[in-house]
Amino acid sequence: MNRMINKWFLLLIVSSAIFLSVIDLFIVNVAVPSIKEGIRGSDGDIQLVIVLYVIGYASFLITGGRAGDYFGKKRVFIAGILIFTIASCACGFAQSAWQLNLSRLVQGISAAFMVPQGVAFIPVLFPDPKEREKALGIYGSIAGTASVIGQFLGGVLPDTHFFVAGWRLIFLINLPIGLVASYMAYRFLYNDKERPSIDKTAQTHKKTTFNFSGVVLLMLALIAFIYPLIQGRELNWPKWSIFLLILSIPIFLIFVYDQRHCMRIKKEPLIRFDLFSNKYFTIGLFAAIFYYMVQDSYFLINAMHLQKGLHVSSSMTGLYFVFQGLGYVIASFLSIKLVQRFGKWVLIGGISCMIGSLFLHLLVLRDGNLQTMKVLPVLFVYGLGCGSVLPTMFTMSLKSIASQFAGAASGLYLTVQQISIALGVGVVGGLFFSVLDNREAEASYFQAYSITTIANILLLVFVALICSLFPSRPSRS
């Protein structure tokens, strides 16, 4: 019995990484207007608060996973949480936009090291397939719960009057969580050398290598493309912004060449481009690009429209988004079983829910006379759609991947996911602020909100068309 208690207790410890990572993403999404006022930042600055976090996460995610095999999962897990906690405090005490955004980049990089270790501990702690499936379900539910808590706290904390400004608390709240999690991990998690099952596994794999050139090139390509896309619009497209946008193309091509060269000389690449030969995986990646462009841009434009355009309080905005989060959690649990029976139709049904809900968004969020009993069901339905799409798209994309390539494929999928989030905030968010053009009238906000919401609807229609190329039933291979 004691062994069982320890096993599930350790699951909670390793799940603290995904909890911190997810809550930090969603808490910022809701608190965007308060952060902007707090740092006296521009529209571009506030986009970068989201974008730099996901760029850091995307660039180092695969490397972070391999670091655990090389240095030890426990060691990398603790180091990642501690650096994430320190970076969170730096965000909380930032005095300018550049200080905040630099700290957000470090947060994202540290998250890329701590999260993969939490996932990697699960098969070690739960070698039995049935127990492992249950553990993964609990892990997923913790991530879903973190998204709901993040949305709630992102609304409530900025309205809180404490010894520091309320918006700073959304970062400083990570301090007690991070310290407790790192101590518990140090105290109770096994060292790798104490787990024979890991030693046997390690002996069957090649020596872990790091593709540092790939990491650097990928990060440079992303920053060279997304940073001028955000800041260039605000500064009326100076020459340096055009130069960087053009420069991002050869940097990305060099990255592709570098990765292919690594494969030719039998060196482990950051991204395996031979995975694109799998038809359904490629379909899933393209669908994910356009879907995740919608995901975080949705929160950005809704938070801005509600709080700045319709003058809804931060706390009330958080409450609204909680209903969206509840819909997501419920649907994500149901979709795990439904996808086995209905395959791609779960995806298309979820996307249809989101599209229908976005049309209703334009009706219920039209002016400041909001009727809460109409707003909440609309957001809940949108959450149901999201919860149906996210886990199903991931399952459908990786279902036909051979087991020996599953790790590389999931790493590539998650990297594309994060890049697409950054791209969506940059493009769709940039469209919102461009239409708004610093006008503060309620009608101006709704005009910007309408145009960008229609843009998101068109993106989702495109996602549905791509997903229709999946087989009617998930592959059994």
Side-chain angles (χ1 to χ4, degrees):
M1 176 63 70
N2 185 51
R3 182 184 175 188
M4 290 297 294
I5 293 174
N6 285 338
K7 184 186 298 185
W8 298 103
F9 174 65
L10 293 176
L11 175 63
L12 294 179
I13 294 176
V14 300
S15 298
S16 61
I18 192 67
F19 182 85
L20 279 169
S21 175
V22 172
I23 199 174
D24 202 72
L25 186 60
F26 281 90
I27 203 171
V28 168
N29 285 337
V30 182
V32 157
S34 300
I35 298 173
K36 180 183 176 183
E37 292 182 4
I39 62 172
R40 297 179 297 279
S42 65
D43 296 333
D45 291 331
I46 205 61
Q47 288 175 270
L48 289 172
V49 170
I50 301 172
V51 165
L52 287 178
Y53 178 88
V54 294
I55 284 179
Y57 190 89
S59 300
F60 283 85
L61 181 60
I62 296 174
T63 301
R66 292 175 186 164
D69 297 329
Y70 189 84
F71 296 106
K73 293 175 177 59
K74 176 178 177 178
R75 185 178 297 175
V76 176
F77 181 81
I78 294 173
I81 289 182
L82 286 175
I83 296 173
F84 185 89
T85 304
I86 294 170
S88 297
C89 291
C91 289
F93 291 113
Q95 299 300 310
S96 64
W98 74 266
Q99 290 176 3
L100 175 60
N101 285 320
L102 180 61
S103 301
R104 285 288 286 172
L105 179 64
V106 176
Q107 262 192 322
I109 294 172
S110 58
F113 283 87
M114 70 180 185
V115 172
Q117 313 317 317
V119 179
F121 265 114
I122 292 177
V124 176
L125 296 172
F126 301 92
D128 179 71
K130 291 184 178 179
E131 282 194 336
R132 187 184 308 165
E133 183 177 349
K134 182 179 178 182
L136 287 170
I138 294 173
Y139 183 86
S141 67
I142 289 174
T145 302
S147 69
V148 176
I149 294 174
Q151 289 164 343
F152 175 72
L153 293 178
V156 171
L157 290 179
D159 281 347
T160 302
H161 299 286
F162 203 49
F163 66 92
V164 294
W167 71 268
R168 297 183 182 277
L169 295 177
I170 72 170
F171 299 110
L172 297 178
I173 196 174
N174 292 337
L175 177 60
I177 300 174
L179 290 178
V180 171
S182 57
Y183 171 76
M184 299 295 274
Y186 174 78
R187 179 72 175 81
F188 295 107
L189 281 184
Y190 300 112
N191 289 314
D192 289 4
K193 64 182 180 182
E194 295 174 356
R195 299 196 300 278
S197 59
I198 290 185
D199 292 337
K200 292 178 182 178
T201 303
Q203 291 171 5
T204 64
H205 290 341
K206 296 179 180 179
K207 183 180 178 181
T208 301
T209 58
F210 296 100
N211 186 213
F212 291 113
S213 60
V215 172
V216 172
L217 287 168
L218 179 59
M219 177 174 280
L220 287 176
L222 291 175
I223 292 177
F225 179 71
I226 297 177
Y227 182 78
L229 199 64
I230 291 173
Q231 295 288 50
R233 175 193 56 80
E234 281 197 327
L235 302 175
N236 199 25
W237 301 107
K239 292 180 180 179
W240 65 261
S241 64
I242 304 298
F243 174 75
L244 280 181
L245 282 171
I246 296 173
L247 183 63
S248 67
I249 298 173
I251 295 176
F252 181 74
L253 292 175
I254 294 171
F255 168 74
V256 173
Y257 173 82
D258 176 77
Q259 297 304 289
R260 292 188 180 280
H261 177 69
C262 286
M263 293 186 66
R264 283 196 299 270
I265 63 175
K266 307 299 182 183
K267 179 181 177 182
E268 190 66 23
L270 188 66
I271 292 177
R272 295 187 63 92
F273 282 91
D274 56 343
L275 290 170
F276 288 103
S277 62
N278 185 297
K279 175 183 176 181
Y280 295 125
F281 179 68
T282 304
I283 290 172
L285 279 186
F286 276 103
I289 289 171
F290 297 102
Y291 176 80
Y292 285 103
M293 283 183 67
V294 175
Q295 178 170 292
D296 268 46
S297 64
Y298 165 85
F299 287 106
L300 173 63
I301 66 176
N302 275 274
M304 292 299 298
H305 177 54
L306 283 168
Q307 295 181 51
K308 303 299 290 184
L310 302 182
H311 308 293
V312 177
S313 69
S314 178
S315 297
M316 196 63 186
T317 301
L319 178 63
Y320 284 159
F321 281 137
V322 163
F323 273 76
Q324 189 270 349
L326 290 174
Y328 169 82
V329 172
I330 292 171
S332 62
F333 280 113
L334 295 175
S335 66
I336 295 173
K337 294 184 177 180
L338 290 175
V339 69
Q340 298 174 5
R341 183 176 180 184
F342 298 105
K344 71 178 181 182
W345 301 112
V346 177
L347 265 178
I348 295 174
I351 295 169
S352 300
C353 272
M354 294 174 68
I355 291 173
S357 176
L358 286 180
F359 278 116
L360 293 176
H361 276 59
L362 296 176
L363 294 177
V364 301
L365 301 180
R366 188 174 186 86
D367 54 52
N369 298 317
L370 296 181
Q371 298 182 40
T372 299
M373 297 311 295
K374 290 184 178 180
V375 174
L376 296 183
V378 169
L379 295 178
F380 183 77
V381 171
Y382 186 85
L384 288 176
C386 291
S388 301
V389 173
L390 263 74
T392 306
M393 186 179 292
F394 184 77
T395 300
M396 295 288 292
S397 301
L398 273 68
K399 192 72 176 180
S400 60
I401 294 290
S403 58
Q404 65 266 32
F405 299 118
S410 60
L412 174 55
Y413 183 94
L414 294 173
T415 300
V416 169
Q417 176 194 81
Q418 298 300 314
I419 292 172
S420 302
I421 288 174
L423 188 61
V425 171
V427 174
V428 180
L431 177 62
F432 177 88
F433 291 119
S434 181
V435 175
L436 185 61
D437 195 25
N438 292 319
R439 294 173 295 168
E440 295 296 324
E442 184 177 301
S444 300
Y445 271 95
F446 184 71
Q447 181 188 17
Y449 178 71
S450 299
I451 291 174
T452 45
T453 297
I454 291 171
N456 276 341
I457 289 173
L458 293 175
L459 286 171
L460 288 174
V461 169
F462 195 51
V463 173
L465 292 174
I466 298 174
C467 290
S468 67
L469 300 175
F470 278 121
S472 297
R473 293 286 199 283
S475 170
R476 298 290 181 187
S477 62

